[in-house]
Amino acid sequence: MPSAPRVPRWDAHRLPDARGRNFLVTGGNAGIGYFVAEQLAATGATVVIGCRDRARAEAAIGSVRSRIPGATVRHVPLDLADRASLKASVDALGLDRLDAVVHNAGVLLDDPPRRETRDGLELMFATNHLGHFALTHHLAPLLAATPGSRIVTTGSFAAKSERLDLDDLQSTRDYRPKRTYARSKLAQMLFAVELDRRLRACGSTTLSVLVHPGGALDSLTPSRPPVHVRTTGERLRNLPLGLVVQGKDTVAWPAVRAVLDPAVRGGLMLSPRAFGLRGTPEAEPLWKQLTDTRTAERLWAASCDLTGTDPVFPAPATGERPVAPEASRVRPSGGHVR
């Protein structure tokens, strides 16, 4: 019996070559998304930054190119809160294949009042969850045309203690900004897990992978002017916090691994190994609320109704269903993921 192929141990500092591949990073102009885009660009891949603001996107692109001469990185206008614009954004990609999309962009409002999109949807839920849900629908043909493509969804530790109120997804009765944000991220995470189930059921080669970055501070994040500027004083004052959290360059690692590591399989959740807050990315068991298939199915149905879309991936032709070698499946430490 032939031996299973060896899979190299993942090293965040030695990323595999990805020349010829195309990656889309939503919100890749700032924060964690910027470092995801920068690190993916270093592999030789074509990286597209999805962003509403052209000037901010161009600043990010300039920063990437200043650090990675010859990097292939460009911008596509993308406003996740504007449902009607998403198809045009996907058409503007001008690609015939897409190897991965990183659903990273997000909105966090700190104070009331409650805000709505032009479609009358609560802004954080509409942007963080529904926008990515609808975007996946429009990207489905490109992803399906690319064997082994990946949909990487960025969750949040803030969602761990929350539960969805399926009767008040728009937070019309109970609007508390931090809770509404956490629930929008929980919805994203449930979407990623439910998407994995649906992709498997139709035999698709596309993988849905969930990540949460852990804890990050701007003061621990290296400068990338004009995208981000950190002073030496800020870094020194907050250096002790590096025992618990880390910079945004490092918390980008789970998403980067989810995109690039050939050992990653659908349905995994990757997070920093030290209490989910810092360290190298490893697979961890799904949180209990993420295994609630009934809630995930009801959320999916509600999301279809609210967006008028359904991220459906066509099944491969008979006899083409892939079988991943056992050795290529990353398993979580200390638990089992479905």
Side-chain angles (χ1 to χ4, degrees):
M1 181 177 178
S3 60
R6 294 189 62 188
V7 179
R9 183 175 178 82
W10 181 254
D11 184 347
H13 301 287
R14 297 171 62 99
L15 299 179
D17 188 291
R19 281 174 288 188
R21 299 168 70 185
N22 301 320
F23 304 134
L24 169 63
V25 182
T26 72
N29 57 293
I32 297 170
Y34 168 81
F35 286 98
V36 172
E38 180 185 279
Q39 291 169 31
L40 291 176
T43 68
T46 294
V47 177
V48 183
I49 291 175
C51 172
R52 289 177 300 170
D53 190 307
R54 178 174 294 278
R56 292 183 179 181
E58 292 298 335
I61 290 169
S63 177
V64 171
R65 289 177 175 164
S66 71
R67 299 185 62 82
I68 308 167
T72 306
V73 56
R74 60 185 180 86
H75 167 239
V76 66
L78 179 67
D79 184 354
L80 291 165
D82 183 1
R83 183 180 61 194
S85 70
L86 296 180
K87 185 179 185 304
S89 294
V90 171
D91 291 343
L93 288 171
L95 301 173
D96 57 7
R97 58 177 284 144
L98 183 64
D99 294 272
V101 56
V102 181
H103 291 331
N104 163 82
V107 173
L108 169 58
L109 301 179
D110 292 324
D111 301 301
R114 179 179 175 276
R115 294 171 57 186
E116 293 185 349
T117 68
R118 67 179 63 184
D119 297 314
L121 302 171
E122 191 284 315
L123 182 62
M124 287 187 279
F125 183 74
T127 303
N128 301 348
H129 169 58
L130 294 177
H132 284 115
F133 185 91
L135 178 63
T136 303
H137 163 81
H138 293 296
L139 289 173
L142 280 177
L143 292 162
T146 312
S149 59
R150 300 182 181 192
I151 301 162
V152 178
T153 299
T154 306
S156 171
F157 208 74
K160 191 169 187 178
S161 60
E162 281 297 335
R163 297 292 186 274
L164 282 186
D165 183 349
L166 291 165
D167 296 319
D168 191 26
L169 289 173
Q170 301 297 319
S171 299
T172 55
R173 295 195 303 267
D174 179 19
Y175 181 74
R176 284 175 277 175
K178 288 184 171 56
R179 166 173 278 190
T180 296
Y181 170 78
R183 286 180 171 178
S184 74
K185 297 304 289 186
L186 176 57
Q188 268 195 286
M189 298 173 85
L190 280 164
F191 160 64
V193 177
E194 178 65 16
L195 179 59
D196 169 65
R197 283 192 286 267
R198 291 171 183 251
L199 289 169
R200 293 188 191 197
C202 74
S204 174
T205 67
T206 299
L207 306 180
S208 175
V209 185
L210 175 60
V211 301
H212 80 77
L217 286 179
D218 283 336
S219 57
L220 300 177
T221 302
S223 286
R224 294 291 190 271
V227 176
H228 167 68
V229 177
R230 178 194 67 181
T231 67
T232 302
E234 288 171 335
R235 177 179 179 274
L236 292 176
R237 281 194 300 273
N238 291 282
L239 200 56
L241 292 174
L243 297 173
V244 181
V245 294
Q246 51 198 353
K248 292 180 179 178
D249 56 324
T250 308
V251 298
W253 288 353
V256 172
R257 181 175 186 182
V259 169
L260 296 173
D261 188 353
V264 164
R265 60 183 175 88
L268 282 180
M269 179 165 67
L270 299 177
S271 65
R273 65 184 305 171
F275 307 105
L277 292 174
R278 69 180 311 278
T280 56
E282 300 289 346
E284 70 163 290
L286 293 178
W287 304 336
K288 183 177 179 180
Q289 65 267 48
L290 297 178
T291 64
D292 183 349
T293 57
R294 177 59 180 153
T295 295
E297 289 169 356
R298 291 180 63 192
L299 173 65
W300 189 284
S303 301
C304 290
D305 289 341
L306 290 167
T307 64
T309 63
D310 189 352
V312 175
F313 286 71
T318 303
E320 293 183 5
R321 182 165 183 165
V323 179
E326 188 68 22
S328 71
R329 299 178 182 177
V330 172
R331 297 194 181 279
S333 56
H336 175 66
V337 175
R338 280 184 302 107

